[in-house]
Structures are given as structure tokens and as C-alpha cells.
Amino acid sequence: MSTDVTNQRRTPFQLENLIASSGITNPESAESTRAATPLNPGTPVSEKETFVVNLSTENHPVLSQSEKPSLPHEGESAIPEDVQEEEIENKEDDWVHDPRNARNWPVAKKWRMVMIVSFYTLVPPLASSMMAPALPEIGEHFGITNPTVVSLTLSIFLITFALGPLILAPLSEIYGRTWILHICNILSLAFNLGCGFVKTTGSLIGLRILAGLAGSAPVAIGGGTISDCFSERDRSSAMAIYSLGPLIGPAVGPIAGGYIAQTVGYKYIFVVIAGLSGVCAAFGIPLLRETYGPVIRLRLIKKSGQDVEKVETHPHLVAAHGPGSQFHVLWVNLTRPFILLTRSAVCFLLSFYMALQYGFYYLMFATFPTLFITVYGFNTGTSGLAYIGLGVGFLASTMFGGWFGDKVYQMMTQRNGGKGSPEMRIPALVLGSLFPPIGLFWYGWSAQAQIHWIMPIIGTGVFGFAR
């Protein structure tokens, strides 16, 4: 077979037309035809020659198909819209093998990203609950007599903490994950610091709402960072470490918050939270690197010095993430959660289950100070220790759940011919769902009966194991 080559540079769209006009219907044959088109116009190409175009051929030489390295951590994107885009783009420049792809970074660099993002993710859950033991003192300071309003100063944080990801997650796909994390962390620092020095109840509630919005960024983006760096085959351990922040943060925070409120006053609870945000910024700003593939590639295009040619070479990438497409990306990501929630029974049931568990979770937080101070005679400091039961349950769940979930996933993958699917994580969730009713009944019954204080704490630990 011979191939006539014109002196005109073909774009990927022209190559698709060429393939279509040749009558090739087999995708593998189509890829071979695309690959057989030479990099330099006018150069004859034999049927067996295959070329792969990298983003920057100056720093990364052209490799033949047989020379492609086999990397152990390759895997498709966890973002559904990007999967089809990656299939097209990988044919154009072989991004899946590029060392600048976060999936192909050295293991040490990947784990550095995990640790930094996990640290970012630890602070907002601390901020959400650290003030819980100080609720009586806060109510007395602001003259709040309604117990519902007192509880509202704690739980109002969760409204924007839940809604923030709808906006912040798509913004991270437009401008990159790194700077959204940095900016929201600095805003979180400011809002939490302000909570300690406001004069009115309304101001405190308002700043708690804003702190929840800024604090939702790591929860919205952190999972994406993990999936950028690790394929679905080996991300379980990284996700387990990342999830420690949301799990143990709400339990560890009140332990510290109780003693801080007792010794130096509730205001310094917010000062400590702001200080932790400052520590995150000190480590994160210089060390955290962008992991989101499309944003990395667009930055490489801009730095290549051949912007026009590179943009023409990657029309699918620019169409999804280039200038003028921000509204499209934002709209798709804003509507996707509602589509999944209303059209997917699995997503609806899991979301409903998690909402129910969070409701029980913060209901416990609001009742702990009253129960352990009024009924069991704890002071403000020692009442924070009542949250240890939840923390122990969270840690046990993380260690056992990660191990058990991986075992079940691997076993079901082998039975399915080596192909895994997200549904294979469900058996571990089913086992965990048995513990919330046991823990809640244990906690409520022992508290109502006013038996030894260790009994309701054990009940919270059983509940925590289900998280």
C-alpha cells in the first residue's frame, strides 16, 4: 500500500476525513493510518512506520510504537467527560505515556501531593466541629437563649460546605486544582479568624457560612487530585489517607477545642484553626504541583513557543478547556450532580444515606456538651474527650475498610475477567451500613438510662465505624 502525502500540514480533523474517505472502518486500522502520516510533509512513509507526536518534541523525542514505555500506574481519567477526550488526544500526542502526566510521576512525588492535599483537607472538618464543646460558652457570650440558634452556629457551616463543591470543582477544571486550593485556604484562614472576634450572633453565623464555602474546596478537589495521580487499580491506599481528614477531623477538633475553650477562651479555637490554615499555605504553595492533565497540557502549549501549531494539533483539548469554554465547563459540572441525583438510583440512594449519616453525626455533636456536662458532670475540657469514641471508630473503619474493600474489589475483578467496576466497592459499603443503627441505639439508650459514661461513648464508636 502506498500513501500520497501533500505538502499541506494535516490537522487531526483533516486526518479523520482522510480516514473516512479511505473507507477504513476498523478503529485499529484507522489509528494505523493516522500514525502513518509523517511528521515532516513530503516525506514518504512505509506501511510499517508508526510515529507518535508528543506535546514538545524538543524535550521529548518521537518514539515508535514498539518503543513506548509500559508504565505501571497508567489508567483513564476518573472524570467521565474527559474519557472520550483522552481517547482522541492520546492518538494525537500519546499523553498517556508522557512523563509530565501526573499518572507517570515518580512515586515519591505522587505521595507528596497526597500528603499536602490531605493536610489541606484536614483543616475544614476541624473548623466544622472544633467549637462544639464551647457551645454553652458561645451562647452565654452572645446572649443566645434559644438552643436551636446555639446549635445553628455550629451546623450552619455544613450548608455551604455541601454546596461549595458544585462551583469549586468545575472551577478547578478550568483554572487548575492547585490555585483553587491555595486561594480558598487563605479565605478560610480569614473567615475563621474573623469568627473569633465578631460582636454579634448574625456576624458569627455569616462568617461560619463563608468559612464553610471556602473550606469545601479540598473536599471538592482532593479526590480529583488523587485520581489524577493514581489509576483505579492502586488509588485505594491514597484515598484512605486522604479520607482521614474528613473522618477524624470532626472528632479530633472537639478534643482540642474543649481544653482551649476552658483555658484561654473560645476565641482561640478560631485562632488555632486560622494558624493551621497558615501552616497549610506555608507547605502547600511552594510544594503542591498542578495534577489536572488538560490544564497541564494547555500550559505546555502556551510555553512551547508554537502556540498556533499546538492549538491546531489539539482541537479537542482547546474546545473543552480553552478560552471561551469556561461557561460550558461550569454549566456541565453544575448540572451533572442534579442529573446524577435524579436519574441514577444508586447515586440518589448513596447521597441520601450520606446526608442521613451527616445529620446524625452533627446531632451527636450538638448534644455532647449538654449530655456530658449536665448529666455526667464533665467540665468543658473533659467533655471534649467524649469525642474520642467517634475518632477511634473512624480510624478502625479506615484501616479495616480500606483493606476489606481492596480484597473484595480484587476478588470480584478476577471473577470478572480482570475488569473492575465502581459497583464492586458496594459490598464493603453494605457491611458498613449495618453499624449506624446499632451505634445510635446504643448511644441513645445508654444516655437515656444515664448508665456509666463509657457506654454512650462506646455507642458513638460503633456509629463511627460505619463512617
Side-chain angles (χ1 to χ4, degrees):
M1 180 181 72
S2 61
T3 304
D4 293 331
V5 180
T6 64
N7 291 327
Q8 180 180 3
R9 177 184 176 91
R10 291 190 177 94
T11 67
F13 288 126
Q14 292 171 324
L15 292 176
E16 296 288 354
N17 293 332
L18 176 63
I19 294 169
S21 64
S22 66
I24 297 174
T25 58
N26 188 323
E28 295 181 358
S29 301
E31 186 175 358
S32 300
T33 304
R34 179 199 294 272
T37 305
L39 298 177
N40 299 319
T43 304
V45 181
S46 67
E47 184 177 5
K48 296 182 179 179
E49 288 177 333
T50 303
F51 292 92
V52 180
V53 184
N54 282 323
L55 277 172
S56 175
T57 56
E58 295 86 353
N59 298 327
H60 299 274
V62 175
L63 302 177
S64 69
Q65 187 74 23
S66 61
E67 294 172 303
K68 291 180 183 179
S70 178
L71 299 170
H73 303 296
E74 292 173 7
E76 66 181 17
S77 172
I79 301 171
E81 191 179 45
D82 287 345
V83 174
Q84 183 178 4
E85 178 185 325
E86 285 180 351
E87 293 176 355
I88 300 172
E89 294 277 331
N90 286 331
K91 296 177 182 178
E92 296 172 1
D93 58 26
D94 197 32
W95 174 248
V96 73
H97 291 94
D98 197 304
R100 295 164 295 186
N101 185 341
R103 292 278 176 91
N104 305 326
W105 287 353
V107 174
K109 186 175 181 180
K110 290 183 181 183
W111 280 101
R112 188 179 78 199
M113 303 302 111
V114 172
M115 294 303 176
I116 294 174
V117 171
S118 299
F119 192 15
Y120 270 105
T121 311
L122 172 65
V123 178
L126 281 174
S128 72
S129 63
M130 200 170 183
M131 62 182 285
L135 286 179
E137 183 181 346
I138 291 172
E140 181 180 351
H141 176 83
F142 288 98
I144 306 173
T145 57
N146 189 334
T148 302
V149 178
V150 174
S151 299
L152 187 66
T153 61
L154 171 71
S155 59
I156 196 70
F157 183 97
L158 294 179
I159 293 179
T160 48
F161 194 69
L163 297 177
L166 297 178
I167 300 174
L168 298 175
L171 287 179
S172 74
E173 296 180 12
I174 298 172
Y175 302 106
R177 308 196 194 281
T178 303
W179 283 107
I180 300 297
L181 286 171
H182 295 332
I183 292 171
C184 288
N185 178 62
I186 293 173
L187 291 175
S188 181
L189 185 156
F191 295 143
N192 280 298
L193 188 63
C195 286
F197 299 94
V198 292
K199 303 297 183 182
T200 64
T201 304
S203 299
L204 175 62
I205 292 175
L207 284 176
R208 288 284 289 173
I209 291 175
L210 295 175
L213 177 63
S216 66
V219 177
I221 299 171
T225 300
I226 303 295
S227 68
D228 290 341
C229 295
F230 295 90
S231 69
E232 69 279 1
R233 297 183 298 275
D234 56 359
R235 70 171 63 122
S236 294
S237 297
M239 285 300 297
I241 292 176
Y242 162 75
S243 65
L244 281 176
L247 288 176
I248 70 171
V252 173
I255 297 173
Y259 284 103
I260 292 172
Q262 181 180 331
T263 54
V264 293
Y266 83 90
K267 293 183 179 181
Y268 287 90
I269 293 176
F270 299 105
V271 173
V272 169
I273 295 170
L276 288 174
S277 296
V279 174
C280 286
F283 283 96
I285 292 176
L287 296 177
L288 190 63
R289 296 290 178 265
E290 182 58 52
T291 61
Y292 187 50
V295 171
I296 295 175
R297 300 173 80 182
L298 285 175
R299 291 177 182 176
L300 291 171
I301 289 172
K302 293 177 181 179
K303 293 179 181 178
S304 66
Q306 302 176 5
D307 289 359
V308 176
E309 291 186 3
K310 297 298 181 183
V311 168
E312 290 178 352
T313 306
H314 305 278
H316 305 286
L317 182 65
V318 175
H321 301 281
S325 65
Q326 289 87 347
F327 179 78
H328 166 72
V329 175
L330 187 63
W331 175 252
V332 167
N333 284 273
L334 281 173
T335 55
R336 182 185 297 159
F338 297 99
I339 294 173
L340 291 173
L341 191 65
T342 55
R343 299 184 184 180
S344 171
V346 174
C347 288
F348 174 79
L349 290 174
L350 287 176
S351 300
F352 180 78
Y353 176 79
M354 287 303 299
L356 191 64
Q357 297 309 309
Y358 262 96
F360 292 146
Y361 189 27
Y362 279 83
L363 182 62
M364 281 186 175
F365 276 14
T367 59
F368 274 16
T370 302
L371 173 66
F372 289 100
I373 292 175
T374 304
V375 176
Y376 291 105
F378 288 19
N379 57 35
T380 303
T382 55
S383 68
L385 298 176
Y387 297 82
I388 290 178
L390 284 169
V392 171
F394 294 156
L395 286 174
S397 175
T398 300
M399 292 185 291
F400 176 79
W403 171 82
F404 181 75
D406 280 346
K407 288 291 184 182
V408 173
Y409 184 84
Q410 293 169 6
M411 180 181 66
M412 297 185 71
T413 298
Q414 291 175 357
R415 291 181 179 178
N416 196 37
K419 184 177 181 181
S421 65
E423 290 77 13
M424 294 177 183
R425 303 285 182 185
I426 292 179
L429 298 178
V430 172
L431 177 63
S433 67
L434 301 177
F435 291 90
I438 298 173
L440 288 171
F441 178 80
W442 193 322
Y443 171 73
W445 169 77
S446 57
Q448 178 68 29
Q450 299 185 13
I451 59 178
H452 193 274
W453 54 264
I454 194 62
M455 296 303 291
I457 292 178
I458 292 175
T460 63
V462 175
F463 176 81
F465 184 78
R467 297 271 293 151

